[in-house]
Every structure is written in C-alpha cells, then in structure tokens.
Amino acid sequence: MRRKLLLGNWKMNKTVTEAKEFASAAAPLLELAKAHHVDIGIAPSFVALEAARKILPPDFIVSAQNVNEHDHGAYTGEVSIPMLKDIGIDWAIIGHSERREYNAETSLACNAKIKALLSAGMTPVYCLGESLATFEKGETKSFVAHQLEEGLRDLTPDEAKKVVIAYEPIWAIGTGKSATKDIAEDVIGFIRRSLRERFGAVAEDIRILYGGSVKPNNVREYMECPNVDGALVGGASLTLDSYEELLRGMI
Ligand code: 13P
C-alpha cells in the first residue's frame, strides 16, 4: 500500500521569518495527516531549511528544492548533500521544470543528482512533465518516457523504489489550468507501467504525485485516481489555511 503524500513546493517564496511562522503553525497538522496515513511536507528555500527543520517534528518532511551532486568544491552558489544532511534535511526535489527552463537542467544532470542523493540515503522527488506544445502534438508519453529513462538511468530496482516521481505538465503549473483527473491518471498510469517494465514489481511501491494548479477544490479528484499517490503543490501550499484544506481534501 502506497502512502499518500502532500508536498508543498514553496519555490522562491517566504523569508526565513515567514517560513518560521508557517512551520510553527503547521506542526500540529502532522497528527491529522498521520491519523489518515498521509505524509506531509514542505520544500522551503535553502536559507529557510534549517529553521523549518528545527521547528517541525521529525516525521514532517522538509525538502530542499535542488542540490548539487558534488560533495564539495569550486561550485559557486551551489549547495551540497553533506550540507543538507548536516542540518537534518534528507529530501530534495530534482528536475523541476522551472530549473530545467531557467537553469538548463537536463534529465542526465538530474540522474547524477538522483544517484548522489540515493547514495547518501536521501529521497529524491524527480519531476517530469511536458510543455503545452508537446501536449498539443500528442507527444506527452514519449516525452515523459524519455525524461524517465534518462533521469533514472542505471538505477537498481531497490534504488528506484526510493524515488518519488512527480508528474507536472508545464502548461498546468501556476496557470490555474490544471490537467483533468483523466489526463493525470492516464499519464501517471503510463509512468507506472514504464517503471514496471524497467524495474519490475517495485513499480507498485513507487509513489507518483501529480502537480500543476492543485487547489483545495480539486485535490480530491486527483486522489480518487488509482495511480495518483499525492500532490506536489506550489501556490496553494503557501498559506496555512489553504495547505490545511489541501490536506483535508486528501483524507
Ligand atoms: P502550482 O501549484 O502553483 O501550479 O505549482 C505547481 C508546481 O510547480 C509544484 O512543484
């Protein structure tokens, strides 16, 4: 049985002060989530990770939004896995479409990060998703299959089992135009079949999230899809009220 997961991706929002306020008020939500077998978490900016980690209970996931695959060295502006581990962070979002677009991250670059995270015993949340043009050409599945193949290249089934996948169609991110639940289930079901072909039975244990304009008023629809194991949420995760409503929509 796969546990549901609600993960708020804060992107470049909230100062450390704001993150502390949110974390202090969000901590009690963990009990509600646990009672309904849902995992919850937030992904603040690098500078707010330590404060959020200190405030939130250990089972409340606090994730980075990116990481560098090298342990240390001359990589100006980057943050390493040992730096994250030192402040108690063991999750990282990898390959978000915004990083692919603005920072030219490729799926093979993501593969290096995913392998480094897994070697360090951390959990990668690997993001996939197609542009509007690809969607309109009807090429979503071949595009996503390619991202999946490169991003998870050379992983063993045991390693693949530890990765969380997030399907986020770019045309649905921050646009208010969410994919219908049928589209989400169709693509996520396809992702699971591809994982089964490559990694075998562990595909049934891999959590696959939907992301892209998930809101309190549509989250329940996605949760009804048999292959959708949770949500990666941007805008609607930023206020506590809305975050709590998202959680209530998942239970
Ligand atoms: P929105 O929920 O704001 O559309 O963002 C989705 C997203 O990119 C989460 O990673």
Side-chain angles (χ1 to χ4, degrees), residues 49 54 62 69 75 80 86 97 112 119 144 153 177 205 231:
L49 284 173
K54 281 188 174 149
V62 179
E69 69 272 28
Y75 303 100
S80 74
D86 188 48
S97 59
S119 307
V144 163
R153 189 171 284 180
K177 186 179 176 222
D205 299 329

Side-chain angles (χ1 to χ4, degrees), residues 9 11 96 98 168 172-175 211-215 232-236:
N9 174 12
K11 309 189 179 185
H96 191 280
E98 287 147 18
E168 299 203 309
I173 295 177
T175 57
S213 296
V214 177
K215 306 289 176 200
L232 182 58
V233 187

Side-chain angles (χ1 to χ4, degrees), residues 45 66 75 106 141 165 185 198 207 210 212 235 242:
S45 73
N66 177 37
Y75 303 100
T106 62
K141 288 180 183 165
I165 309 279
E185 173 61 18
R198 275 185 65 193
R207 289 191 283 188
Y210 168 73
S242 166

Side-chain angles (χ1 to χ4, degrees), residues 96-117:
H96 191 280
S97 59
E98 287 147 18
R99 294 207 56 84
R100 292 178 189 263
E101 182 177 356
Y102 305 129
N103 301 80
E105 278 190 18
T106 62
S107 296
L108 287 176
C110 293
N111 181 244
K113 295 179 187 216
I114 290 168
K115 285 179 181 161
L117 287 165

Side-chain angles (χ1 to χ4, degrees), residues 5-205:
L5 168 61
L6 169 64
L7 187 59
N9 174 12
W10 286 0
K11 309 189 179 185
M12 199 175 72
N13 291 292
K14 293 195 193 291
T15 61
V16 176
T17 306
E18 290 164 343
K20 282 182 181 169
E21 277 168 20
F22 185 103
S24 304
L29 291 180
L30 181 64
E31 290 314 312
L32 177 64
K34 273 185 164 176
H36 292 88
H37 313 289
V38 176
D39 289 333
I40 53 169
I42 51 171
S45 73
F46 279 130
V47 293
L49 284 173
E50 185 173 12
R53 183 66 288 165
K54 281 188 174 149
I55 291 167
L56 289 163
D59 292 344
F60 201 118
I61 295 162
V62 179
S63 173
Q65 298 174 14
N66 177 37
V67 78
N68 188 284
E69 69 272 28
H70 301 284
D71 274 358
H72 54 82
Y75 303 100
T76 302
E78 294 289 289
V79 171
S80 74
I81 288 172
M83 291 172 188
L84 292 180
K85 291 198 89 170
D86 188 48
I87 55 166
I89 302 300
D90 50 16
W91 283 59
I93 296 172
I94 298 298
H96 191 280
S97 59
E98 287 147 18
R99 294 207 56 84
R100 292 178 189 263
E101 182 177 356
Y102 305 129
N103 301 80
E105 278 190 18
T106 62
S107 296
L108 287 176
C110 293
N111 181 244
K113 295 179 187 216
I114 290 168
K115 285 179 181 161
L117 287 165
L118 291 169
S119 307
M122 293 175 62
T123 303
V125 180
Y126 179 48
C127 300
L128 316 168
E130 81 288 5
S131 66
L132 183 60
T134 302
F135 174 72
E136 285 177 343
K137 277 190 276 173
E139 293 172 1
T140 296
K141 288 180 183 165
S142 56
F143 186 84
V144 163
H146 189 66
Q147 288 183 319
L148 200 63
E149 193 285 310
E150 291 196 337
L152 304 188
R153 189 171 284 180
D154 300 330
L155 263 56
T156 65
D158 252 14
E159 288 172 327
K161 195 168 129 176
K162 295 174 186 139
V163 178
V164 175
I165 309 279
Y167 168 59
E168 299 203 309
I170 298 169
W171 48 270
I173 295 177
T175 57
K177 186 179 176 222
S178 54
T180 63
K181 71 175 182 19
D182 292 342
I183 294 175
E185 173 61 18
D186 183 40
V187 179
I188 289 178
F190 166 78
I191 292 171
R192 194 173 307 285
R193 288 195 298 282
S194 311
L195 290 169
R196 198 178 300 128
E197 276 167 29
R198 275 185 65 193
F199 299 110
V202 297
E204 302 310 319
D205 299 329

